Amino acid sequence: MDIATLIGIIAGAGVIFGAIMMGGSLDSFVDIPSVMVVFGGTAAATLIKFPMRDVIKSLKIGVGIAFKNPKEDPLSIYEKAIELAGLVRKNGLLGLENVEVENEIMARGIRMCVDGHSGEVIRSSISSEVEKSIQNDELGELMFRGIGDTAPAFGMIGTLVGLVQMLANLSDPDAIGPAMAIAMLTTFYGAVLANLIALPIADKLALKVDRLRNTKQLIIESVVQIQASQSPMVMKEILGPYLPGGVPADAEDGE
């Protein structure tokens, strides 16, 4: 689990609640109509932007990526690729027939190597699968970024509605202060939803999707080089830049 996401949300909420309690009471920051405008309006706008099926799928994918670390470890894939390259140099591609590979995409590529497919066919086939997977991950980012863009707007809409209602009751000076406070709550709700939850999650999704793309490119290149019976030493030079930091493993070992 990516504990940083959970810690960040809890810490941010704690800071806000702490500031509220130090300066007054929590009751003054609770207003049901404001909640309806911001959260209901944001949900409605999200459904307008995305089909229902994509909304449900994006929520699952987005939450899964934001709160969990990826299962694919670039270093493990790199080491496995070097190991398989050594086997191919000794026994040929048929030597991979009974080899177990945990990563599903890499395992499918190795099976294609054993079946005698060319490097171009393998690259094209795996790349299509990878691209489709990345597009699904990017959809989660787009949805959360859309929520982050929409929530403040509905916060402002709620504030305008509250101000109109307040101005309609200017004849009662005692009601102006409480009415103004309620009008401002929608802006508060929209800002919190966007800047504490939606946009940070969207940014984290963008970062993780980029890392996933790099890892999957590592898998593609590994399989293609294995099919070409590349030597382990050359494989290290080719695959090293795909590791985190873009530093070849040999350079790190030398240090």
Side-chain angles (χ1 to χ4, degrees):
M1 183 175 182
D2 187 350
I3 195 68
T5 303
L6 187 60
I7 290 175
I9 292 176
I10 293 175
V15 169
I16 293 172
F17 282 121
I20 290 173
M21 298 306 295
M22 291 175 64
S25 65
L26 188 61
D27 293 342
S28 60
F29 281 82
V30 177
D31 183 61
I32 300 303
S34 298
V35 171
M36 292 172 58
V37 170
V38 174
F39 290 88
T42 300
T46 301
L47 290 174
I48 294 172
K49 290 182 179 181
F50 303 94
M52 176 67 76
R53 182 180 61 182
D54 289 343
V55 170
I56 296 174
K57 182 170 68 173
S58 299
L59 278 174
K60 292 180 179 179
I61 293 174
V63 171
I65 296 176
F67 288 90
K68 294 181 182 179
N69 289 312
K71 296 179 180 179
E72 298 171 336
D73 177 28
L75 184 58
S76 297
I77 293 170
Y78 169 86
E79 292 174 347
K80 189 66 175 181
I82 301 302
E83 176 189 338
L84 296 179
L87 289 175
V88 171
R89 296 287 285 187
K90 291 179 181 179
N91 306 317
L93 290 173
L94 292 178
L96 303 177
E97 192 169 7
N98 297 319
V99 171
E100 292 186 4
V101 179
E102 293 184 3
N103 184 275
E104 294 182 5
I105 298 177
M106 190 174 189
R108 194 166 78 83
I110 295 301
R111 288 196 299 271
M112 293 182 70
C113 290
V114 174
D115 291 340
H117 293 283
S118 67
E120 292 182 2
V121 171
I122 294 173
R123 184 187 293 276
S124 176
S125 176
I126 299 179
S127 295
S128 298
E129 181 179 344
V130 166
E131 190 59 33
K132 187 177 298 182
S133 173
I134 291 296
Q135 286 177 355
N136 289 334
D137 295 338
E138 289 176 335
L139 190 60
E141 178 206 342
L142 287 174
M143 197 198 69
F144 276 97
R145 198 168 297 283
I147 292 174
D149 293 337
T150 304
F154 274 95
M156 183 59 65
I157 290 172
T159 297
L160 292 174
V161 171
L163 289 175
V164 170
Q165 294 174 342
M166 182 191 71
L167 293 174
N169 295 307
L170 285 179
S171 58
D172 185 4
D174 293 336
I176 293 178
M180 175 65 80
I182 292 175
M184 297 302 293
L185 280 179
T186 52
T187 299
F188 170 74
Y189 290 152
V192 170
L193 176 59
N195 296 289
L196 179 61
I197 299 176
L199 291 179
I201 287 180
D203 290 338
K204 174 158 281 191
L205 289 178
L207 178 63
K208 287 192 173 183
V209 167
D210 186 61
R211 290 178 178 175
L212 284 171
R213 184 187 297 275
N214 186 73
T215 301
K216 292 183 187 298
Q217 289 299 322
L218 168 63
I219 295 171
I220 294 172
E221 198 61 42
S222 297
V223 174
V224 170
Q225 295 303 322
I226 289 171
Q227 190 278 335
S229 301
Q230 194 65 263
S231 71
M233 293 302 296
V234 175
M235 285 273 286
K236 291 180 181 180
E237 295 296 329
I238 294 174
L239 302 182
Y242 289 97
L243 294 175
V247 180
D250 286 349
E252 293 179 353
D253 295 338
E255 294 176 1

